[in-house]
Amino acid sequence: MRASVRWLFKAGLWLSLTGLPTVFLEGIRWLADAPWSWDGLIARWGFVIAVLLLSYLVRPWHVGKTEGLWPPVTVWIFLVGAGIGAAYASTQATWAAWGVAGLTNALSLGLEATLVEGHSPLRRWLWRGLLASGAGGALVAIAQLESRFADEEFFVALQGATLAVFWLLLLPASRRLARRPLPKNQAGFRMDRRAVAAGAFLVLFAGALGTVRAYRHSFYPPDAPIYPGISRANPFLCGVVDPDPQIYDGEEVFRQLLALVEANPRKGPPEYGMLALGTGERRWAEAFRESLLNEVTEERYTTPAHSVKSVQYEAALRAYYYPRVREA
């Protein structure tokens, strides 16, 4: 009976420790209006478990006051990680992106015990904060380098903070897995933990320095991107297609477009403004007015940073329709 209760307690503990990071990921997807499915939930839960298992495999044993013993499997994990990183750099495949994200979190979680051992609680949490920020910042930096820093700085910081919180939610389960005794005659690689700490700090510093330098140069690139077939002598690339035998009636196409907009269940001020101008019906103008007032009531014209709408395109749509609907 006691064994069953103990087993149920352990199962419930691991369910909560692995479920909390998974629920966090689902909550982020819900905030982003991403579709939900059981398959996606299981896949993200499996990702969390895989990250924790990898962190368990790469976590060293403490064999001395300042020494750690890394198991031989760590070398293979680094080699596989290098292969996945190369695959992502050349293909940008989704599976490789998940692999890079998982290995980044697993390796940083594996280093956590090495870096915090023997320090005061304050220094421990300083190291954990640095690792969480480094793991989240590294993934965000990769995405920004790929997109040439196309995202707004506020959203980049928000993405990094979100990934850092995810790392911290993985930490309790990773610490629970770290409670393992050192097997007798365990083979591995000895390394001074102070050297590991210095190396981790230098890697984070060099990565941050390189990212900031790339960010500054993104404003004034020395060379414009080259597109095949485009040159100073031939600035335009024209193609030839066969004529479409179907003749379209512009008014009929516009009516079909208005019908699709009217059927949209998530209409907002731009859609109501289009319907008001396209149909000339007063009910759509009233709906446009009420939707604007609702946004004002909900304080959607200020973000948490108390600035104007961060998405300038959406703000421009409202500014475009407001005087035209009012005149009509």
Side-chain angles (χ1 to χ4, degrees):
M1 184 65 179
R2 290 183 177 179
S4 300
V5 172
R6 190 179 300 111
W7 185 88
L8 288 175
F9 174 77
K10 289 183 178 180
L13 177 63
W14 282 111
L15 186 65
S16 61
L17 289 177
T18 59
L20 186 58
T22 307
V23 171
F24 178 77
L25 292 179
E26 293 299 315
I28 296 300
R29 288 175 54 81
W30 175 75
L31 290 174
D33 290 332
W36 184 87
S37 66
W38 283 107
D39 293 343
L41 174 63
I42 294 173
R44 281 177 283 279
W45 206 328
F47 172 77
V48 169
I49 294 174
V51 170
L52 293 173
L53 290 177
L54 282 174
S55 71
Y56 171 80
L57 293 175
V58 300
R59 186 181 294 272
W61 287 279
H62 300 295
V63 295
K65 187 175 181 180
T66 62
E67 282 190 330
L69 180 66
W70 268 260
V73 71
T74 305
V75 177
W76 292 105
I77 293 176
F78 270 102
L79 292 176
V80 172
I84 293 177
Y88 179 69
S90 59
T91 65
Q92 280 78 49
T94 301
W95 67 267
W98 279 100
V100 171
L103 286 167
T104 300
N105 283 286
L107 292 175
S108 55
L109 286 169
L111 286 175
E112 182 266 341
T114 298
L115 298 179
V116 305
E117 186 68 24
H119 293 306
S120 64
L122 177 60
R123 294 185 65 180
R124 289 184 180 186
W125 281 106
L126 286 175
W127 269 114
R128 288 165 181 164
L130 186 63
L131 285 172
S133 302
L139 297 177
V140 172
I142 293 173
Q144 292 306 306
L145 289 170
E146 288 180 356
S147 63
R148 298 178 181 269
F149 300 93
D151 295 330
E152 294 184 10
E153 289 80 356
F154 173 77
F155 290 107
V156 174
L158 189 61
Q159 292 168 10
T162 301
L163 292 174
V165 171
F166 175 68
W167 189 94
L168 292 173
L169 292 176
L170 291 171
L171 184 61
S174 178
R175 296 288 298 178
R176 185 79 181 180
L177 283 172
R179 299 176 183 177
R180 53 175 179 167
L182 175 65
K184 294 182 179 180
N185 302 323
Q186 172 64 40
F189 306 94
R190 290 177 178 264
M191 189 174 297
D192 193 302
R193 292 188 286 115
R194 292 171 297 185
V196 174
F201 181 80
L202 289 176
V203 169
L204 290 175
F205 180 76
L209 192 65
T211 303
V212 171
R213 185 175 183 275
Y215 171 74
R216 294 183 60 187
H217 283 274
S218 67
F219 290 99
Y220 306 102
D223 299 312
I226 299 176
Y227 298 95
I230 301 296
S231 64
R232 183 183 296 272
N234 298 296
F236 300 101
L237 185 62
C238 301
V240 178
V241 296
D242 296 331
D244 191 346
Q246 184 175 355
I247 299 176
Y248 295 92
D249 183 357
E251 293 184 0
E252 178 59 29
V253 171
F254 186 64
R255 282 194 293 269
Q256 294 176 5
L257 178 60
L258 288 178
L260 292 174
V261 174
E262 182 177 355
N264 180 13
R266 301 177 63 182
K267 289 188 286 292
E271 290 76 21
Y272 290 128
M274 181 179 180
L275 290 169
L277 297 178
T279 65
E281 297 179 11
R282 187 176 183 86
R283 62 186 178 109
W284 296 122
E286 291 293 338
F288 175 76
R289 174 179 177 275
E290 292 176 2
S291 62
L292 285 179
L293 291 176
N294 288 335
E295 288 191 344
V296 174
T297 303
E298 297 171 2
E299 297 183 353
R300 292 181 57 188
Y301 282 90
T302 56
T303 65
H306 299 292
S307 61
V308 297
K309 275 182 176 289
S310 58
V311 183
Q312 288 83 1
Y313 175 68
E314 292 188 3
L317 288 176
R318 286 152 178 79
Y320 172 84
Y321 280 112
Y322 177 77
R324 287 163 176 80
V325 174
R326 186 175 181 181
E327 292 174 4

